Amino acid sequence: MIGCGAIAELGHLPGAQVADFVDMTVLVDPDIQRAREMCKKFGVAEARSSISEIGGLADMAIVAVPHKVHADVTIDLLERGLHVFIEKPLAVTADEGRRMLAAANAAGRVLGIAMARRFSAGNAYAKKVVESGIFGRPRSFRFEEGGVYSWPSRVPFLLEKDAGSGVLIGSGSHMFDLVLWIFGPVESVRCFTDSRTKQEVDALVELTMASGANGVIELSRSRQLSNSTSIVFDTAVLHVPTFGPGLCIESQDGTFSFIGEPRINDRKVIGDADMAKMMAAQLDDFAEAVALKREPMASAMSGIHCIELIEKCYENQQDMIFPWERPIAVVSQ
Amino acid sequence: MSNFSNLRAFITGGTGFIGGRLTQSLIKEHGAAVTVLAHRTSAGALRAARDGAELCFAPLTDESALVKATAGVDVIFHLAFGKYGDAAEQKTITIDGTRALVNAALKNKVKNFVYVSTCAVYYNKQTEATITENSPSGPWGWNYADEKYAAEEVVRAAIRDQGLPGTIIQVVGVYGPWGDTFTVGPLKQLSEGRVVLPNDGSAYANPTFVDDVVQALYLSLQNSAIGQTFIIRGPDQATRKQYYNAYEKMLGITALEFMPLEEIKRQSRMSWRGIAQLAPAGIRALSSSRDFKEAVRETPFAPMARKLYRSLQLKKTPSVAAAAPAKTAPQKPLIFPPAIVLEFGAAKLEYSPQKAIDILGYKPRYSLAEGMALTEEWAKWARLTQHPK
């Protein structure tokens, strides 16, 4: 485990404890005390303060470090012969992502991305429904993810400039990944943000898919959004949470509906909101991908496509209009 | 006076409501260089960074860090107070933190030190009064007000004894976009329960739209403000009933209840059964509050609170599904004012901003109707008007 911050403590390390195919052998953090604390908490034998000290202790690395160093850390690990499973986003820029993929290919190692939402039953179900055509073609969709930001980051990297710190690349990575995974390529993008600094807190993205479907992704770190997905098909409307249990299928005219749980015959898909199980599922998928020499659920290439889409958003961004923000008139005596 | 483009400002509380709006205005409207004190990566800190502020991570009580952070600064706006941790920690942050910041300001010879305090320091058990800056002030039993008063005393002593170019701005009833106490709080309370107002709701709300406070903060940088205290209030008076009615209108509901003060006191002495009835809705409402989550996270009760919240979540209708209506809708719980501010909140206290009008040229611009119209636009966007049916 490279980086012992909040996502390691709350996600990857509890996930590794219940994963079938992964044994956590060494924790690395520049703050060696923190690494030792996490070793004690999660029963891991070794703590190190630098990647250069992990030789022979691991054959796969989970990377959870600030976004701006994703590329350098990953390439370093790949060149040391480790397979790398990286916390989203793959990188801050698509160019970095391509360098990372090239490094993985050169080293003959697997590079995968943590996209836990693909393992959530509702999203997997939505993908199955789209692919099956059971309700006809998807005409439109809306993905929402947002809440008042309270993630207990240990390092304030999201406050740094040019560090991949905006909401588009943060939780947006999850939503863009789901959209590309479920609906395929994007034809065009319109993006509205509350800032041009790439430190946007709120964003709204309108997408036209190559399939002809239109969609909206709304993201926020300041407001509680519904954290759900709605897909309008020819004959029905599907609602699922972006994470956790539950689903609702409504008739087009809203006169009748079905409320229940998505069922998928896939052991990797997790039906509840248990983060450890979700993280374990994706770790096991990655370990299996390494063993079987196949692509992991979220490949490096899918991560590059995701970042390319985010870059398109930044290129095309327009200002959100907030009519309640008026200039403060100051006229002194 | 209206050119703030070269201003270098240090703001405590810049990740909060009033300070956040000030930060945004200084940077976006004037291109000022603003540093904001923060203690963690919060939504407010992210908004300040988005607006272009530099973030300084340090405890408010760390004088040496503050000396370093305020070197070369023209003005300090001090809005932060102890909000997290236990009562002793909160007191330390509010009072000792103010002292540390005052010392930093003196060492760095800042040109203005503006302390934002509260009109609650004037409460003197009166039931009806017009309050001016000459009215008696002091501690009266509410920690928040008492500690703000103590911090005022720290600033006043530094003005008097050490030549601090300080100004105290006392605010009241501040509402508007991102406002927790007087905007998000009432909207959530009205959504979740029946909000009880004392007597006939005719106590004064002294509503002040946040932009009027920010106007006053700019004006407090004048020489005529130094050494002075100013009460800041909006242009019109309104009763608490009128004030809450504005939020009811936003929500499209009627959820106010009126009770004599003594009856509220009687009912507030709730039986355990009553508390048990209130707890689920109250915790659900609070659990969506950033402040509550932050406060709980920093207490030993965090694991217990998480467990309780999860058990309540399980009892909720699945969020993605439209549930069938219950055969008999349960009565929403009564929400009483906190006991400590019950009588204070029932008093007809009129805070006069006349001194600020006369000396600073303060021109409050937002009537309750205008301020609430802007607040409503924000509340809709913030999804705060989608109350449970």
Side-chain angles (χ1 to χ4, degrees), chain A residues 328-332, chain B residues 1-2 4 7 21-30 32 77 114 211-222 360:
Chain A
I328 310 277
V330 185
V331 183
S332 62
Chain B
M1 181 63 204
S2 58
F4 301 99
L7 195 73
R21 182 72 178 113
L22 173 66
T23 299
Q24 181 185 50
S25 169
L26 278 166
I27 296 171
K28 281 189 162 178
E29 293 175 44
H30 303 287
F77 292 103
V114 181
D211 285 15
D212 279 336
V213 177
V214 174
Q215 181 207 150
L217 294 176
Y218 278 111
L219 292 170
S220 67
L221 303 182
Q222 299 169 91
L360 298 181

Side-chain angles (χ1 to χ4, degrees), chain B residues 121-201:
Chain B
V121 298
Y122 291 109
Y123 182 53
N124 194 21
K125 313 289 183 194
Q126 326 88 311
T127 54
E128 197 163 347
T130 296
I131 307 285
T132 71
E133 293 82 350
N134 294 323
S135 301
S137 60
W140 54 270
W142 182 24
N143 286 355
Y144 167 73
D146 295 354
E147 288 158 17
K148 292 293 273 188
Y149 174 77
E152 279 190 6
E153 289 291 274
V154 170
V155 175
R156 277 197 199 94
I159 291 169
R160 188 183 59 235
D161 304 333
Q162 294 170 281
L164 179 78
T167 302
I168 296 171
I169 298 291
Q170 295 163 327
V171 300
V172 58
V174 187
Y175 70 98
W178 309 107
D180 265 346
T181 308
F182 292 106
T183 297
V184 177
L187 282 167
K188 288 195 170 172
Q189 286 181 339
L190 290 164
S191 297
E192 292 288 335
R194 292 171 291 149
V195 175
V196 179
L197 294 184
N199 304 323
D200 57 357

Side-chain angles (χ1 to χ4, degrees), chain B residues 47-380:
Chain B
R47 288 209 310 276
R50 168 203 69 185
D51 291 334
E54 291 295 325
L55 274 293
C56 165
F57 279 81
L60 184 55
T61 46
D62 185 343
E63 189 175 317
S64 61
L66 295 175
V67 169
K68 200 173 158 195
T70 57
V73 153
D74 299 310
V75 52
I76 293 174
F77 292 103
H78 177 32
L79 295 96
F81 63 95
K83 205 172 176 181
Y84 308 111
D86 60 26
E89 286 171 289
Q90 292 183 8
K91 185 175 181 181
T92 299
I93 292 166
T94 302
I95 303 170
D96 296 351
T98 298
R99 191 171 290 115
L101 192 62
V102 162
N103 289 342
L106 288 165
K107 274 187 189 148
N108 285 319
K109 297 185 170 54
V110 301
K111 292 172 193 155
N112 293 88
F113 183 98
V114 181
Y115 177 52
V116 178
S117 185
T118 169
C119 286
V121 298
Y122 291 109
Y123 182 53
N124 194 21
K125 313 289 183 194
Q126 326 88 311
T127 54
E128 197 163 347
T130 296
I131 307 285
T132 71
E133 293 82 350
N134 294 323
S135 301
S137 60
W140 54 270
W142 182 24
N143 286 355
Y144 167 73
D146 295 354
E147 288 158 17
K148 292 293 273 188
Y149 174 77
E152 279 190 6
E153 289 291 274
V154 170
V155 175
R156 277 197 199 94
I159 291 169
R160 188 183 59 235
D161 304 333
Q162 294 170 281
L164 179 78
T167 302
I168 296 171
I169 298 291
Q170 295 163 327
V171 300
V172 58
V174 187
Y175 70 98
W178 309 107
D180 265 346
T181 308
F182 292 106
T183 297
V184 177
L187 282 167
K188 288 195 170 172
Q189 286 181 339
L190 290 164
S191 297
E192 292 288 335
R194 292 171 291 149
V195 175
V196 179
L197 294 184
N199 304 323
D200 57 357
S202 62
Y204 297 136
N206 292 285
T208 312
F209 188 63
V210 61
D211 285 15
D212 279 336
V213 177
V214 174
Q215 181 207 150
L217 294 176
Y218 278 111
L219 292 170
S220 67
L221 303 182
Q222 299 169 91
N223 286 339
S224 57
I226 289 176
Q228 301 283 334
T229 297
F230 298 98
I231 288 172
I232 298 301
R233 200 204 72 197
D236 54 356
Q237 188 53 278
T239 64
R240 286 189 182 264
K241 181 171 180 253
Q242 290 168 323
Y243 188 72
Y244 272 85
N245 283 159
Y247 288 122
E248 283 185 317
K249 192 165 153 269
M250 284 183 206
L251 293 163
I253 58 171
T254 305
L256 284 182
E257 298 274 338
F258 301 94
M259 271 185 208
L261 201 55
E262 291 309 313
E263 176 63 12
I264 294 179
K265 284 182 191 170
R266 194 185 67 78
Q267 289 210 27
S268 293
R269 291 191 284 269
M270 299 285 294
S271 65
W272 282 107
R273 189 175 158 203
I275 290 168
Q277 283 170 347
L278 272 174
I283 290 171
R284 272 204 288 273
L286 282 168
S287 62
S288 56
S289 148
R290 178 187 54 202
D291 288 344
F292 179 74
K293 280 194 279 197
E294 286 166 354
V296 168
R297 189 182 302 124
E298 295 176 19
T299 73
F301 304 115
M304 191 178 77
R306 267 195 293 274
K307 213 169 175 180
L308 178 60
Y309 178 62
R310 280 189 196 127
S311 75
L312 293 168
Q313 287 289 86
L314 291 176
K315 290 172 194 161
K316 278 173 61 179
T317 309
S319 59
V320 295
K327 281 178 185 165
T328 51
Q331 182 84 308
K332 283 184 169 182
L334 291 170
I335 298 176
F336 294 99
I340 188 72
V341 291
L342 180 58
E343 290 181 339
F344 170 54
K348 288 188 178 176
L349 303 177
E350 166 105 19
Y351 297 95
S352 169
Q354 197 56 49
K355 181 180 170 187
I357 291 169
D358 292 342
I359 295 179
L360 298 181
Y362 169 60
K363 291 188 182 68
R365 284 178 167 79
Y366 294 92
S367 66
L368 183 66
E370 290 166 313
M372 283 294 180
L374 295 177
T375 303
E376 182 171 4
E377 291 196 70
W378 171 79
K380 279 182 185 162

Side-chain angles (χ1 to χ4, degrees), chain A residues 144 194 223 326 328 333, chain B residues 21 29 50 358 381 383:
Chain A
E144 289 191 2
D194 61 350
R223 299 173 293 149
R326 297 183 175 179
I328 310 277
Q333 283 291 68
Chain B
R21 182 72 178 113
E29 293 175 44
R50 168 203 69 185
D358 292 342
W381 177 79
R383 312 268 180 110

